[in-house]
Amino acid sequence: ALHDRFAGSQSLMMWGVRSVVAAPLWDAEGSIGMIALSSSVSVKQFVDQDLEMLVSLASAAVLRVRNVALLEEAAARKVLERELSLAHDIQMSMLPRQQLERPEIDLAAYLAPARSVGGDLYDFSLVGDDLWFIIADVSGKGVAAALYMAVAKTLFRATLQQDLAPADVLARMNQELCRDNDQFVFVTAMVGRLSLSTGAVAIGDAGHCPVMVVAPEGGVAMPAVPKCMALGVVPDTPYADGRIDLLAGETLVLHTDGATDARDRDGE
């Protein structure tokens, strides 16, 4: 804007401004401000050439500002990626790294978070002649789910006792997960106790994906296990056990919805 366009502006005159030139800091992403120059000397007035030069300077300035912002964003993203990578390593280290060395059973597990970290978990522990196991899925994804996953895993280990049923373990875990759950996070879980001497499996289902039994010849059965409420939703929820008699050569398969929700490149 040139000086003669503001000649009658009392507010500018009160500040002693006699001539003004301004140009926006603007690019394709929008405006981030403006550059304004003023002169209080009446004999030194800005002209069109001054405006053209200021517009050129403003174009260079906004480009520089955007580049600096991109560099800062890239640096912050690099720090976040490093922290998430560390969190991934910590979360994976919380899972069992040594397989069970017992002649009665072969055990294998696999977990791949959809992001750097996630809310899926598995764990197992030998208590006497019983193999306790859990597979669970925390609602949501990312860091918040991973933190809750660590809580759920810790509660599972802390609750195990030789004389408990899976329903008792689920009930105790539920009470703790319902406590101060202001974020309304819930956990679906399958907790079981396998007798290594008999093959009998007592198993409790807290809103989780169905369990499957695969026969040696490849046939798949889905035993009826009572479906109960997910953990962390309603305090004092009752839980029930189902029973599976695992025969020699049969495979007990547990999974989260990461398996059933997975899609190939064609969306199948």
Side-chain angles (χ1 to χ4, degrees):
L2 300 177
H3 67 287
D4 53 356
R5 300 177 193 172
F6 299 98
S9 175
Q10 294 298 318
S11 60
L12 291 176
M13 296 295 290
M14 289 176 59
W15 285 96
V17 176
R18 297 296 180 266
S19 183
V20 175
V21 62
L25 294 171
W26 182 87
D27 62 5
E29 297 185 28
S31 175
I32 60 172
M34 63 180 292
I35 299 177
L37 303 178
S38 64
S39 174
S40 59
V41 181
S42 57
V43 296
K44 175 57 180 176
Q45 298 177 344
F46 295 114
V47 294
D48 287 339
Q49 289 82 356
D50 297 323
L51 179 60
E52 292 173 1
M53 179 173 289
L54 189 62
V55 168
S56 298
L57 290 173
S59 298
V62 73
L63 180 61
R64 176 62 176 166
V65 170
R66 296 290 192 195
N67 287 339
V68 169
L70 288 174
L71 288 173
E72 292 176 347
E73 182 180 338
R77 189 183 303 114
K78 190 173 183 179
V79 171
L80 178 60
E81 289 174 352
R82 189 182 305 116
E83 291 178 349
L84 286 175
S85 177
L86 178 60
H88 169 83
D89 294 342
I90 293 174
Q91 185 180 32
M92 292 300 102
S93 69
M94 295 178 64
L95 301 173
R97 285 182 282 184
Q98 292 184 345
Q99 296 301 328
L100 186 68
E101 296 183 0
R102 290 288 296 261
E104 303 96 331
I105 187 171
D106 292 323
L107 188 151
Y110 176 75
L111 188 152
R115 301 178 183 174
S116 296
V117 291
D120 286 6
L121 70 102
Y122 67 86
D123 196 8
F124 59 86
S125 180
L126 195 61
V127 180
D129 194 43
D130 292 334
L131 175 66
W132 282 90
F133 58 87
I134 182 174
I135 185 168
D137 182 6
V138 179
S139 60
K141 299 183 183 300
V143 175
L147 291 173
Y148 223 75
M149 166 266 194
V151 173
K153 180 182 180 299
T154 302
L155 286 174
F156 170 71
R157 284 291 182 111
T159 305
L160 295 185
Q161 294 180 22
Q162 194 166 5
D163 59 343
L164 289 183
D168 300 324
V169 174
L170 288 171
R172 294 187 181 188
M173 291 179 64
N174 180 63
Q175 286 300 102
E176 293 301 322
L177 290 173
C178 285
R179 194 191 311 274
D180 300 324
N181 188 8
D182 297 334
Q183 302 302 316
F184 301 103
V185 178
F186 64 89
V187 182
T188 67
M190 190 83 73
V191 170
R193 186 188 67 195
L194 166 64
S195 171
L196 295 179
S197 60
T198 67
V201 182
I203 191 165
D205 183 355
H208 199 68
C209 303
V211 63
M212 296 180 289
V213 175
V214 182
E217 63 276 9
V220 178
M222 302 181 71
V225 177
K227 182 75 70 174
C228 301
M229 180 73 70
L231 306 177
V233 180
V234 179
D236 302 317
T237 296
Y239 291 91
D241 290 336
R243 179 183 174 90
I244 301 171
D245 290 315
L246 200 62
L247 303 179
E250 290 185 331
T251 303
L252 187 71
V253 179
L254 307 169
H255 65 283
T256 68
D257 60 8
T260 53
D261 290 348
R263 297 291 182 267
D264 62 18
R265 294 180 179 178
D266 297 325
E268 296 296 330

